[in-house]
Amino acid sequence: MSDHLTCLVKGNLPLANLLWGKVYYKDIFAGILREEPGDRTSFEYDPTYLNTGNPVISYTMPIESMIHISQAGLHPFFDNLVAEGWLEHAQSRLLNKRHVSRFELLLAFGYDCAGAVSIADPEPARLTKQLLDMSDSKEMAVLTSRASLSGIQPKLAVVAREGKYYPATVGELSTHIAKFPSSGHADLTINEYLTSIAFKALLPDDDVVDLSIEAIEGITEPALITKRFDRTLEGRIHFEEFNQLLNRKSSSKYDGSHKEMSDFIRTVKDCLPIENYRLYARILAGLLLGNTDMHFKNFAMFHTPAGLRLTPSYDQVSAVLYQYKTIALAIGGASNMQIGNLKPKNLITMADEFALPRAAVSMLFKQLSRNKSDAKDAILSSSIGHNNIKDQLIKLMDARWNGTFALIGQTLSMKQ
Ligand SMILES: Nc1ncnc2c1ncn2[C@@H]1O[C@H](COP(=O)(O)OP(=O)(O)O)[C@@H](O)[C@H]1O
Ligand SMILES: [Mg+2]
């Protein structure tokens, strides 16, 4: 233990008020995360962790350096693990303070995070349910779960047991994520379900999260359940969202371009070129379905011994149905692009930015053209969802196809 830490543990002033936590990779102690004077924080790898050949906890924290300093607040890797939106608010109320920092949230709810890293508070904060809305069963479930899940939509970490789903309890690792409709968008979960099955039909060779609409024990509303791709019977699997891989804080998830993700894949050692093509195909299928919310936290890569690989696709929602018309990230050099203004040249410029061969792009458009009727069938034959939302989705897919995608072949051959 470093002198600095010894000093913290002994409670010497003035460092006694600074926060710190133990960081684990799977079940292995990996190092210490601590608040430093000023707004800085640091993560220091444990020498034993490094000496025994363990992997990096983040692509942005290479093991060549024992200590990683963040000049303002949490390092982006940790910042992106913290809850956002509905869950962040519920967790903040449990800590019963007027202002709760992201470090405090991570310490209190860092047991069950995205990926294989977890954070343990040596002196766990006392939680209180006084400020929770007792009439909201999903809000009450936050009291027992110790999960940090990002994203704005109301969600809970849940556990599957003998065909039923339960909110995760203290010390329990979740197996699934339950998402609920948000106050303004009652059919949000149905939208995500239908958009995801249509997406799967458009790209049948790609991976999309398994999802279904299910009841959660003790919770009044049904939820959209997705199987966690970062959990197996053996425990945690590591992945990072692109926001982490690109070293951005959670709040910067909209600041940038699709090209940056492609540049990352094409320059990082051991990333396969096919991942670059898969990424492009996912962006196209998402746009065809009106998903304007594809920001840097909605794409991610697994850490595997062979290198970084895309995780299954998740959070496919036709946000256009709620009038979110601006495409989240810059596309083909254009920022704040309205999806209705998307031209074939924007998609082709993006393919050039991704350095994709024209033949591959042309093949992809042919595949989408062939598969769009399967996507419509998947929507129409779904036992989940009413006719109104199904019709809306199909209409917008047709409009996008006719307005942009159908003209690609022509534009490509003109360019050639
Ligand atoms: N099936 C999954 N397995 C593991 N992690 C997931 C899965 N789905 C989402 N996540 C993680 O949870 C975060 C929030 O989920 P997401 O579906 O994007 O919610 P929101 O719609 O609120 O943005 C994602 O950014 C990702 O890190
Ligand atoms: Mg999301």
Side-chain angles (χ1 to χ4, degrees):
M1 194 182 280
S2 71
D3 290 340
H4 181 151
L5 242 191
T6 317
C7 159
L8 280 179
V9 175
K10 286 184 179 160
N12 286 3
L13 290 172
L15 298 182
N17 293 330
L18 296 177
L19 304 168
W20 68 283
K22 291 179 166 184
V23 176
Y24 291 84
Y25 174 83
K26 299 189 175 171
D27 293 326
I28 313 164
F29 174 61
I32 299 281
L33 174 66
R34 55 185 170 240
E35 209 173 29
E36 304 283 349
D39 193 24
R40 297 184 318 144
T41 59
S42 66
F43 170 72
E44 187 171 3
Y45 277 110
D46 176 63
T48 314
Y49 181 82
L50 293 187
N51 295 339
T52 40
N54 288 300
V56 291
I57 63 160
S58 166
Y59 172 77
T60 54
M61 288 194 271
I63 47 184
E64 285 74 35
S65 173
M66 284 279 289
I67 185 151
H68 294 268
I69 308 277
S70 163
Q71 295 300 339
L74 286 175
H75 181 285
F77 170 72
F78 292 109
D79 184 64
N80 280 284
L81 297 180
V82 180
E84 294 178 287
W86 178 90
L87 186 59
E88 179 185 2
H89 296 141
Q91 290 180 344
S92 299
R93 287 202 290 279
L94 277 169
L95 287 166
N96 200 13
K97 287 168 92 176
R98 283 209 8 232
H99 175 73
V100 179
S101 71
R102 292 182 70 73
F103 204 139
E104 285 171 291
L105 284 172
L106 187 62
L107 282 179
F109 302 97
Y111 175 72
D112 192 5
C113 298
V117 169
S118 60
I119 293 90
D121 188 347
E123 293 171 49
R126 221 166 329 124
L127 304 185
T128 157
K129 61 182 178 193
Q130 276 157 308
L131 300 180
L132 289 186
D133 175 358
M134 304 272 185
S135 65
D136 185 341
S137 50
K138 64 180 184 300
E139 194 163 308
M140 295 307 288
V142 178
L143 189 61
T144 62
S145 158
R146 288 294 181 275
S148 280
L149 295 168
S150 62
I152 304 301
Q153 213 180 320
K155 60 176 75 60
L156 286 176
V158 301
V159 177
R161 233 180 277 128
E162 289 156 14
K164 290 188 174 175
Y165 297 94
Y166 302 83
T169 54
V170 178
E172 206 176 19
L173 206 54
S174 60
T175 57
H176 291 71
I177 295 173
K179 292 171 81 171
F180 300 90
S182 62
S183 46
H185 309 310
D187 58 8
L188 190 60
T189 49
I190 304 295
N191 178 337
E192 183 166 349
Y193 179 82
L194 293 173
T195 308
S196 303
I197 58 171
F199 183 95
K200 178 76 196 151
L202 287 172
L203 300 176
D205 300 327
D206 202 359
D207 294 328
V208 185
V209 282
D210 291 332
L211 29 73
S212 56
I213 303 280
E214 307 283 351
I216 314 286
E217 299 297 305
I219 310 269
T220 37
E221 303 150 87
L224 178 77
I225 293 279
T226 65
K227 189 170 179 315
R228 289 191 72 141
F229 49 70
D230 57 347
R231 301 287 181 259
T232 65
L233 289 176
E234 284 80 50
R236 310 170 198 245
I237 297 181
H238 202 31
F239 79 93
E240 291 189 75
E241 298 166 345
F242 266 92
N243 218 34
Q244 294 170 307
L245 296 169
L246 296 172
N247 211 16
R248 280 151 200 266
K249 295 269 197 152
S250 188
S251 56
S252 304
K253 64 190 176 192
Y254 289 105
D255 303 341
S257 63
H258 296 105
K259 178 179 182 295
E260 288 168 72
M261 294 191 279
S262 169
D263 288 345
F264 179 90
I265 292 178
R266 285 180 296 116
T267 49
V268 167
K269 190 175 158 290
D270 296 333
C271 265
L272 299 178
I274 185 74
E275 302 291 274
N276 185 42
Y277 174 80
R278 281 173 81 199
L279 179 69
Y280 181 74
R282 285 180 185 191
I283 296 166
L284 254 51
L287 290 173
L288 182 56
L289 292 164
N291 183 358
T292 45
D293 201 34
M294 291 185 278
H295 52 67
F296 289 133
K297 286 178 74 67
N298 280 339
F299 298 93
M301 299 194 96
F302 285 123
H303 284 260
T304 81
L308 292 163
R309 300 285 180 271
L310 288 174
T311 67
S313 182
Y314 55 89
D315 205 11
Q316 284 298 334
V317 179
S318 185
V320 158
L321 291 188
Y322 312 118
Q323 305 305 315
Y324 293 108
K325 294 186 177 166
T326 310
I327 298 173
L329 298 175
I331 184 159
S335 310
N336 300 318
M337 164 74 82
Q338 300 294 294
I339 192 162
N341 294 339
L342 200 60
K343 299 278 181 303
K345 74 166 191 301
N346 301 117
L347 301 182
I348 295 173
T349 309
M350 184 167 67
D352 292 342
E353 288 177 341
F354 277 50
L356 289 170
R358 283 283 151 83
V361 177
S362 168
M363 208 176 70
L364 174 63
F365 282 99
K366 282 187 190 134
Q367 189 196 347
L368 291 174
S369 171
R370 268 198 315 274
N371 293 344
K372 69 180 191 314
S373 62
D374 289 349
K376 284 185 194 173
D377 287 348
I379 295 170
L380 287 172
S381 60
S382 164
S383 57
I384 287 161
H386 46 79
N387 288 343
N388 188 18
I389 188 167
K390 289 181 176 181
D391 289 349
Q392 283 179 296
L393 250 178
I394 287 175
K395 270 198 193 120
L396 78 84
M397 193 164 87
D398 279 339
R400 192 73 292 107
W401 185 266
N402 296 330
T404 314
F405 287 64
L407 312 167
I408 295 272
Q410 217 177 319
T411 316
L412 272 177
S413 53
M414 263 159 47
K415 287 214 167 197
Q416 268 157 7

